[in-house]
mmCIF file of all heavy atoms in Angstrom:
data_model
loop_
_atom_site.group_PDB
_atom_site.id
_atom_site.type_symbol
_atom_site.label_atom_id
_atom_site.label_comp_id
_atom_site.label_asym_id
_atom_site.label_seq_id
_atom_site.Cartn_x
_atom_site.Cartn_y
_atom_site.Cartn_z
ATOM 1 N N PHE A 511 5.844 2.664 78.229
ATOM 2 C CA PHE A 511 7.244 2.997 78.564
ATOM 3 C C PHE A 511 7.705 4.194 77.724
ATOM 4 O O PHE A 511 8.271 5.161 78.250
ATOM 5 C CB PHE A 511 8.104 1.747 78.316
ATOM 6 C CG PHE A 511 9.481 2.001 77.769
ATOM 7 C CD1 PHE A 511 10.491 2.493 78.583
ATOM 8 C CD2 PHE A 511 9.778 1.718 76.432
ATOM 9 C CE1 PHE A 511 11.770 2.715 78.074
ATOM 10 C CE2 PHE A 511 11.046 1.940 75.921
ATOM 11 C CZ PHE A 511 12.045 2.449 76.740
ATOM 12 N N ALA A 512 7.409 4.154 76.428
ATOM 13 C CA ALA A 512 7.914 5.203 75.537
ATOM 14 C C ALA A 512 7.306 6.566 75.866
ATOM 15 O O ALA A 512 8.032 7.560 75.957
ATOM 16 C CB ALA A 512 7.632 4.827 74.079
ATOM 17 N N VAL A 513 6.002 6.616 76.066
ATOM 18 C CA VAL A 513 5.385 7.935 76.273
ATOM 19 C C VAL A 513 5.771 8.548 77.627
ATOM 20 O O VAL A 513 5.703 9.759 77.796
ATOM 21 C CB VAL A 513 3.841 7.904 76.100
ATOM 22 C CG1 VAL A 513 3.465 7.476 74.691
ATOM 23 C CG2 VAL A 513 3.179 7.009 77.115
ATOM 24 N N LYS A 514 6.227 7.707 78.556
ATOM 25 C CA LYS A 514 6.689 8.240 79.842
ATOM 26 C C LYS A 514 8.186 8.603 79.785
ATOM 27 O O LYS A 514 8.586 9.704 80.150
ATOM 28 C CB LYS A 514 6.436 7.188 80.931
ATOM 29 C CG LYS A 514 6.835 7.633 82.320
ATOM 30 C CD LYS A 514 6.296 6.655 83.362
ATOM 31 C CE LYS A 514 6.521 7.139 84.774
ATOM 32 N NZ LYS A 514 7.903 7.355 85.128
ATOM 33 N N LYS A 515 8.992 7.647 79.306
ATOM 34 C CA LYS A 515 10.446 7.800 79.422
ATOM 35 C C LYS A 515 11.053 8.745 78.385
ATOM 36 O O LYS A 515 12.067 9.383 78.658
ATOM 37 C CB LYS A 515 11.129 6.425 79.313
ATOM 38 C CG LYS A 515 10.803 5.485 80.472
ATOM 39 C CD LYS A 515 11.297 6.060 81.786
ATOM 40 C CE LYS A 515 11.104 5.115 82.950
ATOM 41 N NZ LYS A 515 11.495 5.708 84.233
ATOM 42 N N VAL A 516 10.471 8.820 77.189
ATOM 43 C CA VAL A 516 11.095 9.671 76.164
ATOM 44 C C VAL A 516 11.020 11.154 76.547
ATOM 45 O O VAL A 516 12.057 11.843 76.527
ATOM 46 C CB VAL A 516 10.523 9.379 74.754
ATOM 47 C CG1 VAL A 516 11.116 10.328 73.722
ATOM 48 C CG2 VAL A 516 10.816 7.940 74.360
ATOM 49 N N PRO A 517 9.842 11.683 76.934
ATOM 50 C CA PRO A 517 9.849 13.095 77.358
ATOM 51 C C PRO A 517 10.737 13.323 78.579
ATOM 52 O O PRO A 517 11.411 14.351 78.676
ATOM 53 C CB PRO A 517 8.383 13.399 77.691
ATOM 54 C CG PRO A 517 7.615 12.162 77.465
ATOM 55 C CD PRO A 517 8.511 11.097 76.920
ATOM 56 N N GLU A 518 10.773 12.323 79.484
ATOM 57 C CA GLU A 518 11.629 12.472 80.674
ATOM 58 C C GLU A 518 13.093 12.609 80.292
ATOM 59 O O GLU A 518 13.792 13.500 80.773
ATOM 60 C CB GLU A 518 11.495 11.223 81.572
ATOM 61 C CG GLU A 518 10.394 11.336 82.600
ATOM 62 C CD GLU A 518 10.281 10.053 83.430
ATOM 63 O OE1 GLU A 518 11.257 9.284 83.578
ATOM 64 O OE2 GLU A 518 9.166 9.827 83.918
ATOM 65 N N VAL A 519 13.553 11.729 79.382
ATOM 66 C CA VAL A 519 14.997 11.746 79.063
ATOM 67 C C VAL A 519 15.348 12.983 78.235
ATOM 68 O O VAL A 519 16.444 13.536 78.370
ATOM 69 C CB VAL A 519 15.424 10.414 78.383
ATOM 70 C CG1 VAL A 519 15.048 10.350 76.908
ATOM 71 C CG2 VAL A 519 16.925 10.205 78.549
ATOM 72 N N ILE A 520 14.416 13.451 77.416
ATOM 73 C CA ILE A 520 14.670 14.702 76.682
ATOM 74 C C ILE A 520 14.781 15.850 77.691
ATOM 75 O O ILE A 520 15.691 16.683 77.617
ATOM 76 C CB ILE A 520 13.564 14.970 75.640
ATOM 77 C CG1 ILE A 520 13.650 13.940 74.515
ATOM 78 C CG2 ILE A 520 13.679 16.396 75.082
ATOM 79 C CD1 ILE A 520 12.507 14.004 73.504
ATOM 80 N N GLY A 521 13.867 15.854 78.666
ATOM 81 C CA GLY A 521 13.917 16.886 79.712
ATOM 82 C C GLY A 521 15.234 16.841 80.467
ATOM 83 O O GLY A 521 15.855 17.874 80.732
ATOM 84 N N GLU A 522 15.701 15.631 80.786
ATOM 85 C CA GLU A 522 16.986 15.490 81.495
ATOM 86 C C GLU A 522 18.136 16.049 80.663
ATOM 87 O O GLU A 522 19.038 16.717 81.194
ATOM 88 C CB GLU A 522 17.274 14.011 81.779
ATOM 89 C CG GLU A 522 16.443 13.373 82.869
ATOM 90 C CD GLU A 522 16.768 11.878 82.949
ATOM 91 O OE1 GLU A 522 17.867 11.534 83.420
ATOM 92 O OE2 GLU A 522 15.941 11.063 82.510
ATOM 93 N N ALA A 523 18.108 15.754 79.360
ATOM 94 C CA ALA A 523 19.198 16.229 78.485
ATOM 95 C C ALA A 523 19.183 17.753 78.397
ATOM 96 O O ALA A 523 20.242 18.395 78.399
ATOM 97 C CB ALA A 523 19.073 15.606 77.095
ATOM 98 N N LEU A 524 18.000 18.338 78.350
ATOM 99 C CA LEU A 524 17.914 19.803 78.280
ATOM 100 C C LEU A 524 18.440 20.425 79.576
ATOM 101 O O LEU A 524 19.225 21.380 79.542
ATOM 102 C CB LEU A 524 16.468 20.237 78.010
ATOM 103 C CG LEU A 524 15.926 19.888 76.611
ATOM 104 C CD1 LEU A 524 14.444 20.249 76.510
ATOM 105 C CD2 LEU A 524 16.712 20.604 75.527
ATOM 106 N N VAL A 525 18.037 19.871 80.700
ATOM 107 C CA VAL A 525 18.484 20.405 81.988
ATOM 108 C C VAL A 525 20.011 20.277 82.110
ATOM 109 O O VAL A 525 20.708 21.222 82.467
ATOM 110 C CB VAL A 525 17.773 19.693 83.162
ATOM 111 C CG1 VAL A 525 18.425 20.029 84.491
ATOM 112 C CG2 VAL A 525 16.293 20.063 83.184
ATOM 113 N N LEU A 526 20.526 19.089 81.782
ATOM 114 C CA LEU A 526 21.966 18.839 81.887
ATOM 115 C C LEU A 526 22.768 19.847 81.068
ATOM 116 O O LEU A 526 23.844 20.287 81.467
ATOM 117 C CB LEU A 526 22.274 17.413 81.407
ATOM 118 C CG LEU A 526 23.720 16.954 81.490
ATOM 119 C CD1 LEU A 526 24.178 16.849 82.942
ATOM 120 C CD2 LEU A 526 23.910 15.618 80.791
ATOM 121 N N ASN A 527 22.230 20.205 79.902
ATOM 122 C CA ASN A 527 22.952 21.123 79.012
ATOM 123 C C ASN A 527 22.493 22.570 79.157
ATOM 124 O O ASN A 527 22.812 23.417 78.328
ATOM 125 C CB ASN A 527 22.812 20.644 77.562
ATOM 126 C CG ASN A 527 23.553 19.346 77.329
ATOM 127 O OD1 ASN A 527 24.767 19.335 77.280
ATOM 128 N ND2 ASN A 527 22.824 18.239 77.235
ATOM 129 N N ARG A 528 21.717 22.818 80.220
ATOM 130 C CA ARG A 528 21.200 24.156 80.523
ATOM 131 C C ARG A 528 20.504 24.778 79.314
ATOM 132 O O ARG A 528 20.791 25.909 78.909
ATOM 133 C CB ARG A 528 22.345 25.074 80.981
ATOM 134 C CG ARG A 528 23.003 24.601 82.241
ATOM 135 C CD ARG A 528 23.736 25.747 82.897
ATOM 136 N NE ARG A 528 24.248 25.359 84.191
ATOM 137 C CZ ARG A 528 25.467 24.893 84.414
ATOM 138 N NH1 ARG A 528 26.314 24.754 83.420
ATOM 139 N NH2 ARG A 528 25.854 24.584 85.624
ATOM 140 N N MET A 529 19.611 24.006 78.729
ATOM 141 C CA MET A 529 18.882 24.501 77.558
ATOM 142 C C MET A 529 17.391 24.503 77.834
ATOM 143 O O MET A 529 16.898 23.745 78.681
ATOM 144 C CB MET A 529 19.173 23.626 76.338
ATOM 145 C CG MET A 529 20.606 23.735 75.875
ATOM 146 S SD MET A 529 20.888 22.681 74.469
ATOM 147 C CE MET A 529 20.092 23.645 73.185
ATOM 148 N N LYS A 530 16.679 25.334 77.063
ATOM 149 C CA LYS A 530 15.224 25.375 77.165
ATOM 150 C C LYS A 530 14.632 24.766 75.891
ATOM 151 O O LYS A 530 15.244 24.851 74.821
ATOM 152 C CB LYS A 530 14.755 26.825 77.278
ATOM 153 C CG LYS A 530 15.328 27.558 78.483
ATOM 154 C CD LYS A 530 14.237 28.374 79.161
ATOM 155 C CE LYS A 530 14.623 28.800 80.556
ATOM 156 N NZ LYS A 530 15.884 29.558 80.616
ATOM 157 N N PRO A 531 13.430 24.195 75.978
ATOM 158 C CA PRO A 531 12.837 23.583 74.786
ATOM 159 C C PRO A 531 12.780 24.529 73.596
ATOM 160 O O PRO A 531 12.950 24.101 72.457
ATOM 161 C CB PRO A 531 11.431 23.194 75.256
ATOM 162 C CG PRO A 531 11.554 23.037 76.726
ATOM 163 C CD PRO A 531 12.608 23.998 77.175
ATOM 164 N N ASP A 532 12.579 25.835 73.843
ATOM 165 C CA ASP A 532 12.446 26.728 72.675
ATOM 166 C C ASP A 532 13.767 26.956 71.935
ATOM 167 O O ASP A 532 13.780 27.533 70.852
ATOM 168 C CB ASP A 532 11.771 28.068 73.055
ATOM 169 C CG ASP A 532 12.577 28.862 74.073
ATOM 170 O OD1 ASP A 532 13.749 28.506 74.299
ATOM 171 O OD2 ASP A 532 12.030 29.839 74.617
ATOM 172 N N GLU A 533 14.879 26.457 72.498
ATOM 173 C CA GLU A 533 16.153 26.526 71.764
ATOM 174 C C GLU A 533 16.293 25.372 70.766
ATOM 175 O O GLU A 533 17.210 25.351 69.951
ATOM 176 C CB GLU A 533 17.329 26.475 72.739
ATOM 177 C CG GLU A 533 17.452 27.699 73.632
ATOM 178 C CD GLU A 533 18.560 27.512 74.647
ATOM 179 O OE1 GLU A 533 19.730 27.391 74.249
ATOM 180 O OE2 GLU A 533 18.233 27.453 75.854
ATOM 181 N N ILE A 534 15.407 24.405 70.868
ATOM 182 C CA ILE A 534 15.492 23.224 69.999
ATOM 183 C C ILE A 534 14.628 23.450 68.750
ATOM 184 O O ILE A 534 13.444 23.762 68.845
ATOM 185 C CB ILE A 534 14.998 21.956 70.751
ATOM 186 C CG1 ILE A 534 15.818 21.720 72.023
ATOM 187 C CG2 ILE A 534 15.004 20.730 69.835
ATOM 188 C CD1 ILE A 534 17.303 21.479 71.802
#
Side-chain angles (χ1 to χ4, degrees):
F511 144 75
V513 299
K514 182 169 187 301
K515 294 298 185 184
V516 176
E518 270 178 25
V519 79
I520 291 173
E522 287 175 72
L524 291 175
V525 168
L526 182 66
N527 292 287
R528 298 200 173 94
M529 293 179 76
K530 301 223 164 56
D532 62 13
E533 293 175 64
I534 302 298

